[in-house]
Amino acid sequence: HSIYFQILGEHGWAGLMLFMSIGLTAWLRAGQLIRKLKDQPEKQWAADLARMCQVSLIGFAAGGAFLSLAYFDMPYNVVAMITLAYTIALKPQAAAKTNLAPLPLRAAPGQSPSRGER
């Protein structure tokens, strides 16, 4: 048995396509993260993590051809790591491009304004 036939047998073609699309999306997102962080040495950790997550996904996909580990949680943890690394490494960069400033704090009803605000 393999994870592919196990998913196909239990969930049909739609389930197999969803299962495969999770892995493909994670692979593509990791590749995107590697490319975007190529020239940023301070965020090299995220690019290295994405590379190793890709290696892990290859290992799971190859091993899955011979083992029935369709519900093993490791690939989902790898997807979560890729998503978190993408969010942590690239989201501040996107916010800096839009020149968003934090909203000013207002005093709660019944409280006096602080720092000389009126």
Side-chain angles (χ1 to χ4, degrees):
H1 293 110
S2 72
I3 56 174
Y4 310 109
F5 288 121
Q6 184 178 357
I7 293 291
L8 179 62
E10 293 179 10
H11 302 288
W13 287 104
L16 179 62
M17 291 303 122
L18 285 172
F19 180 75
M20 298 293 286
S21 68
I22 290 171
L24 179 63
T25 303
W27 177 272
L28 294 174
R29 180 56 58 111
Q32 189 178 33
L33 186 61
I34 293 165
R35 282 189 306 279
K36 286 186 177 187
L37 297 178
K38 182 173 53 174
D39 298 327
Q40 298 182 29
E42 69 278 359
K43 294 181 180 177
Q44 191 60 39
W45 64 269
D48 292 340
L49 177 65
R51 281 186 194 91
M52 293 302 106
C53 286
Q54 283 184 328
V55 170
S56 181
L57 288 171
I58 289 171
F60 180 76
F66 306 103
L67 299 171
S68 296
L69 293 172
Y71 303 109
F72 185 52
D73 60 346
M74 186 275 304
Y76 304 106
N77 292 335
V78 171
V79 170
M81 285 190 292
I82 292 169
T83 304
L84 288 171
Y86 188 89
T87 302
I88 292 168
L90 293 180
K91 290 303 178 184
Q93 183 179 16
K97 285 184 181 178
T98 59
N99 296 326
L100 294 177
L103 294 174
L105 296 176
R106 295 183 182 200
Q111 290 183 345
S112 63
S114 62
R115 292 183 266 162
E117 298 173 2
R118 292 192 185 232

